[in-house]
Amino acid sequence: MSKIPTIPGQVLTAPDEANFLKSLVQGLCNTRTRSFPGSQPVSFTWKSLQSLEKQDYWVCEKSDGVRCLLLILMNGSTQEQETYFIDRKNIYRRVYGLQFPHHEDSTLSTPAANTILDGELVIDHDEQTGEDTLRYLAFDLLVLAGDSLAEKSLQSRYGRLKSWVIEPYKKLLAKNGNKSQPFELKLKTMERAYSIEQVFNEHIPRLKHGNDGLIFTCAESGYVNGTDSRIIKWKEPSENSIDFKIMLRFPPLEGSDRDLDFSKKPICELHQWEGGKMYRWYDNWDITDEEWRNSNKDGIDLHDKIGEFSWSDDKQDWRFLRIRDDKLDGNHCTVVDKIIESIKDGVKASELIENAPRIRSTWKEREQRRSGGLPSQAQPSPSKPSQMRIVQ
């Protein structure tokens, strides 16, 4: 299991300050609520291959890290630039030591403001030196200088992120003498969807942080707050995971009708989120004696925590992966259903690669049509392989 970074910065504890920033972000993103405005992917199924054929999709590796938005603003009172990380719990952290210049000022002297990046914090580990480096891999741009980019395509947003945010930032950093930063900012590499084999064979092996699959994003679509069906996360079917709330049920203490025996291994219930504060039992996790001893030895309190689980077809049981301290709630019941579907109807890496030529062919046909060429005859959809089975 790869190292999961701790989000740097000072948590805002003053309600008035946090509420002000949430209202500011709500206005910049034009959202209905003040909740976390980031987009969320859906799980990959066999039908997703048809989406990759019908529209232009980009693909990148899915980093095993912590998702955060980066807010850049100007403080009207102090006239100083401030930067904040916003995590999926909608907690704001003030991050010090960063400077972002305005993209229209070639002298790099005007600070940027009212800009929001989307990305993921990872820990890159150097096997030779043993050193860990905290990096923020930016992959999208929601707002630039107060202008919402939600209606623009991914390729347009990504181009602005690269040319108008990251490149000026690096130029200013070099101009100021490459001062120490709280993390290293990098642009996440994207490829066309038909370059799947290149991502598997070249990108992922060179990673210094953990990998959790692939992300396919429609290059033609705008930015959606909340679940976006045109952002698709792929994992090997056996590695698809669900976030449940863990509820421990301890047996009664011998000779007592009221007290519980906390020395005994409990029944571990997995509950799915129904929305609001409602949870409902979904299944039991048959935690092994060794797993229970290790959790006690490591001081891990599993009760009422959000845990990530994958399904073991061999054991016909859930496999515990990690505690998700970065999430307030488990997966919603509708998401659980879709992930179960993606496990049953999953696509293997070899099947993705086999379909890459077809994805490339239909991409090139669209390019030809856009350039004024005649459309080619549509290709038939891929045939569906035999499904794997999951037993709950």
Side-chain angles (χ1 to χ4, degrees):
M1 187 68 67
S2 58
K3 296 182 178 179
I4 303 301
T6 299
I7 304 174
Q10 181 179 350
V11 176
L12 297 188
T13 56
D16 291 345
E17 188 176 5
N19 289 333
F20 172 79
L21 291 180
K22 290 176 182 178
S23 295
L24 173 66
V25 170
Q26 180 185 8
L28 290 173
C29 297
N30 193 28
T31 57
R32 295 180 179 179
T33 68
R34 294 188 299 176
S35 58
F36 178 72
S39 60
Q40 303 293 344
V42 298
S43 295
F44 203 103
T45 64
W46 190 253
K47 291 181 181 179
S48 301
L49 285 173
Q50 299 178 23
S51 298
L52 301 188
E53 291 183 22
K54 292 177 181 178
Q55 290 183 288
D56 294 351
Y57 271 78
W58 288 358
V59 61
C60 65
E61 64 91 11
K62 185 178 183 295
S63 303
D64 194 8
V66 178
R67 169 85 176 282
C68 293
L69 303 181
L70 181 61
L71 168 66
I72 305 165
L73 56 81
M74 286 294 294
N75 187 311
S77 300
T78 64
Q79 295 302 307
E80 293 181 351
Q81 187 182 73
E82 297 178 354
T83 51
Y84 296 86
F85 269 137
I86 310 171
D87 67 15
R88 289 197 293 188
K89 293 181 178 179
N90 213 28
I91 295 174
Y92 285 62
R93 291 173 173 82
R94 173 78 185 274
V95 184
Y96 295 90
L98 298 173
Q99 286 183 298
F100 289 89
H102 196 285
H103 64 280
E104 293 180 338
D105 185 359
S106 59
T107 68
L108 307 176
S109 57
T110 304
N114 294 339
T115 296
I116 303 177
L117 284 63
D118 198 349
E120 193 158 29
L121 279 167
V122 299
I123 295 178
D124 278 350
H125 178 73
D126 192 317
E127 293 288 350
Q128 294 183 342
T129 65
E131 294 182 356
D132 289 336
T133 302
L134 182 64
R135 289 191 169 95
Y136 183 64
L137 306 180
F139 52 73
D140 212 332
L141 185 62
L142 285 69
V143 182
L144 178 66
D147 293 330
S148 172
L149 305 182
E151 299 300 321
K152 296 188 179 298
S153 67
L154 171 63
Q155 50 193 352
S156 178
R157 302 194 308 271
Y158 188 82
R160 286 168 167 78
L161 172 64
K162 178 179 184 293
S163 301
W164 291 354
V165 179
I166 293 183
E167 288 181 358
Y169 166 80
K170 290 185 175 180
K171 288 179 181 178
L172 182 61
L173 197 62
K175 179 181 177 181
N176 291 341
N178 199 23
K179 296 179 181 179
S180 176
Q181 302 290 289
F183 55 84
E184 183 179 330
L185 175 63
K186 293 187 67 176
L187 181 71
K188 191 160 192 175
T189 302
M190 301 275 195
E191 300 287 351
R192 294 183 173 189
Y194 55 76
S195 300
I196 301 168
E197 191 168 9
Q198 180 181 351
V199 177
F200 276 127
N201 295 338
E202 297 180 18
H203 292 199
I204 293 178
R206 292 201 298 262
L207 294 177
K208 294 183 179 180
H209 56 265
N211 170 258
D212 199 26
L214 303 176
I215 290 286
F216 294 91
T217 308
C218 183
E220 306 169 13
S221 63
Y223 193 95
V224 175
N225 305 117
T227 302
D228 186 356
S229 61
R230 290 179 292 183
I231 303 178
I232 315 171
K233 61 178 179 180
W234 174 89
K235 295 182 181 182
E236 282 285 358
S238 60
E239 295 301 319
N240 273 289
S241 60
I242 300 176
D243 298 327
F244 291 113
K245 175 173 279 192
I246 306 170
M247 303 299 292
L248 303 183
R249 307 302 183 196
F250 289 90
L253 191 65
E254 188 175 352
S256 174
D257 295 331
R258 300 172 57 186
D259 298 325
L260 301 177
D261 190 349
F262 295 105
S263 66
K264 298 289 182 63
K265 186 177 73 171
I267 295 173
C268 298
E269 297 181 353
L270 304 181
H271 290 224
Q272 65 179 4
W273 185 40
E274 300 286 313
K277 297 182 179 180
M278 297 294 295
Y279 276 83
R280 179 168 58 89
W281 177 89
Y282 183 81
D283 202 354
N284 285 349
W285 163 40
D286 187 13
I287 184 171
T288 65
D289 292 340
E290 182 181 5
E291 287 174 323
W292 179 244
R293 285 195 300 269
N294 289 338
S295 67
N296 288 329
K297 182 179 65 176
D298 297 337
I300 300 175
D301 182 10
L302 297 173
H303 182 65
D304 207 30
K305 295 293 194 303
I306 304 300
E308 182 179 0
F309 292 83
S310 64
W311 177 258
S312 172
D313 209 33
D314 293 335
K315 297 181 179 180
Q316 290 291 290
D317 192 20
W318 296 100
R319 180 165 61 95
F320 174 72
L321 301 178
R322 58 170 167 163
I323 294 294
R324 295 300 304 265
D325 287 327
D326 60 319
K327 299 187 69 174
L328 280 173
D329 288 294
N331 289 131
H332 191 267
C333 54
T334 56
V335 176
V336 172
D337 291 342
K338 291 177 181 177
I339 297 176
I340 292 296
E341 180 186 356
S342 71
I343 296 174
K344 294 178 181 178
D345 193 26
V347 179
K348 298 179 180 179
S350 58
E351 293 166 340
L352 278 178
I353 295 172
E354 286 173 4
N355 278 276
R358 188 189 301 271
I359 296 170
R360 184 183 188 279
S361 174
T362 54
W363 184 304
K364 295 303 180 181
E365 289 173 7
R366 288 190 295 274
E367 280 188 338
Q368 185 180 16
R369 290 196 294 268
R370 287 192 290 261
S371 64
L374 295 175
S376 302
Q377 184 177 359
Q379 296 290 328
S381 298
S383 58
K384 185 175 178 179
S386 58
Q387 297 183 1
M388 63 181 292
R389 184 175 65 90
I390 178 172
V391 178
Q392 296 180 23

